Structure formats: C-alpha cells, structure tokens
Amino acid sequence: MTTQKEEQFARFAKALAHPTRVLIMNYLVNLNQCCFGDIHAELPIAKATVSQHLKELRTAGLIQGSIEAPKVKYCINMDNWVLAQQLFENFFAQKLKIASCHDS
Amino acid sequence: MTTQKEEQFARFAKALAHPTRVLIMNYLVNLNQCCFGDIHAELPIAKATVSQHLKELRTAGLIQGSIEAPKVKYCINMDNWVLAQQLFENFFAQKLKIASCHDS
DNA sequence: AATATTGTTCGTTATTTTGCGAACAACAAA
DNA sequence: TTTGTTGTTCGCAAAATAACGAACAATATT
C-alpha cells in the first residue's frame, strides 16, 4: 500500500490544506518572531479557532511554539520545513510520462 | 485575508492530503496511460471509494479523465501540475527569517 | 436482444474538521 | 492579593470527508 514517505507527504499536505493555515505559515516565514496575538490580529476569526489551526500545524510538525510568559512565541520548525520542502520537491520533480487525455 | 494564490495553494494541498490520493498521483505520473481499473487494482479499497478520490483529484484540477468506452482513461492535468509545482516551489523558496523557538 | 464489462452515482454510516463562545490556567502588574 | 493580559481547552453545532454496498448507465460482446 502507501509508503511511509507518502504518508508523511500527505500529513504535510493536510496541514497546508486550509487557507488560514497557509496564511499563518506565510506569515511566520516572513517574521523572525511572533506571538499568538500577532497571528490572531492578522485573522478575522476567533482566537479559539486560531489556536486550533496552530495546534494542527504544530502536530504536523511544521511549526513550534515556546512560552515566553505571558506570551507564546511561534516559529517555523526548521527540520520539518526542510523535510517537507524535499518531499514536495521530489514529488513534483518526477518526470511525467504522459500521453495526455482529453476532456476532464 | 487570504489571497487567491493562497486559496489555490490550499486547494492543491487539500487534494494531496490523503495517502491514497498521493499514491494515485504517483501512479499516474509514472504511466503514460491507465484506466480506472488499473488504479483500482493497485488499491485495497472499494471501487466506489477509488472513484470518489479520483473525483476529488479531478475537481482540484490535478488530473483529467476521458472516456474510451467501455473504459475511462485518466492522466495528470499538465497545466495544473505545472501550476501546483510553481506554487509549492514558491512557497518553500521563501527565505526563512527565523530566530528559532525552543520546545514544541 | 441478452449478457458481460467498466465505472459512476446514490444512500447510508462513522469520523473528522471547522468554528465559536465561555470557561479556564498561567503569569505579570498594580 | 486582586486584577489584567495572554492563550489554551472544553463543549457544542454544522459541515465536510471517508468508506462501503447496491443500484445504475453506457458500451461491447455474444
């Protein structure tokens, strides 16, 4: 069936499968520091929802957070960022052997 | 809020957010032709479920199918494959400005 | 015309996701 | 010690996803 690589790839893809989470990732990539409040301020949604999206990104390993009381600082998880980058690069690097279909 | 690019990125990511769909994509990338039955034969799941996954990939624009009675031939959608490739490449090409956090 | 092959669609069930407000926890500040 | 700030967790509701068998549709074959 599916390989470990495919499972991991799908896990990363799933974490990125929501516009809000993509926005959060883009936001984090372009900052050298930011806390929950900064992220929440960027979004038109309740803080409970923001917290939940952050949790999913954290669970997927794409970000990490540390407590700097009374704030919580978030950032990209370097190791997994690189891993995800490689997985997606490999995925799209595959040479297509297509005799393209018509229609859709 | 979220941009069109982010929306599209999330849509592609969502399509790739399930191991079975990743497997289907990898399978299609490496063949120059294949029909529903070939894909179904690769998977340990009911054909109704396979059909549903194919539909999602089709809706997301990553694949396309054409009828070659009585079979249905599937292949990668070139245009959107390239688009997705670019979106993911741009996403991961962003230079990180990280003062990394600790913990997780 | 009857039958077989190939996939899709329908209807159902179970699970997960998304979103919110309210309650809570942890710490800082007054 | 009381109050304020900052986030997380809880409980809930609505919607979407995943999976299946059965029924169906379209075309080949006999």
Side-chain angles (χ1 to χ4, degrees):
Chain A
M1 254 290 285
T2 53
T3 66
Q4 285 305 103
K5 255 190 190 177
E6 285 161 342
E7 302 272 351
Q8 181 61 70
F9 180 88
R11 220 170 294 133
F12 283 143
K14 191 172 183 179
L16 299 173
H18 192 290
T20 295
R21 291 196 291 273
V22 176
L23 195 143
I24 291 173
M25 288 299 289
N26 282 334
Y27 187 71
L28 281 177
V29 163
N30 290 296
L31 289 180
N32 49 9
Q33 67 164 346
C34 84
C35 65
F36 175 86
D38 298 332
I39 297 170
H40 181 213
E42 289 289 307
L43 302 168
I45 57 182
K47 59 181 181 170
T49 309
V50 174
S51 199
Q52 208 171 314
H53 281 305
L54 287 169
K55 190 177 191 176
E56 284 180 64
L57 289 171
R58 218 174 338 120
T59 300
L62 289 177
I63 67 172
Q64 57 194 195
S66 61
I67 298 173
E68 289 190 12
K71 301 193 176 186
V72 176
K73 187 171 150 191
Y74 280 101
C75 68
I76 302 291
N77 179 314
M78 275 294 216
D79 291 352
N80 285 324
W81 171 267
V82 171
L83 176 57
Q85 186 174 32
Q86 288 172 343
L87 288 175
F88 279 93
E89 189 174 320
N90 288 343
F91 179 78
F92 285 110
Q94 294 178 88
K95 278 278 172 280
L96 305 187
K97 303 174 183 173
I98 296 283
S100 73
C101 310
H102 309 333
D103 309 340
S104 78
Chain B
M1 255 288 287
T2 54
T3 67
Q4 285 305 104
K5 256 190 189 176
E6 285 161 342
E7 301 273 351
Q8 181 61 71
F9 181 88
R11 218 171 294 133
F12 283 143
K14 191 172 183 180
L16 299 173
H18 192 291
T20 295
R21 291 197 290 273
V22 176
L23 196 142
I24 291 174
M25 287 300 289
N26 282 333
Y27 187 71
L28 281 176
V29 163
N30 290 297
L31 290 178
N32 50 9
Q33 68 162 347
C34 85
C35 66
F36 175 88
D38 298 331
I39 297 169
H40 181 211
E42 290 289 307
L43 302 168
I45 56 181
K47 58 182 180 168
T49 308
V50 174
S51 200
Q52 205 171 314
H53 282 306
L54 287 169
K55 191 177 191 175
E56 284 180 65
L57 288 171
R58 220 177 335 118
T59 299
L62 289 176
I63 68 173
Q64 59 195 193
S66 61
I67 298 172
E68 289 190 12
K71 300 194 177 184
V72 176
K73 187 172 150 192
Y74 280 101
C75 69
I76 301 291
N77 179 315
M78 273 295 215
D79 292 351
N80 285 324
W81 171 267
V82 171
L83 177 57
Q85 186 173 33
Q86 289 172 344
L87 287 176
F88 279 92
E89 189 174 317
N90 288 343
F91 179 78
F92 285 109
Q94 294 178 90
K95 279 280 174 278
L96 304 188
K97 302 175 186 172
I98 297 282
S100 73
C101 311
H102 308 334
D103 309 339
S104 79

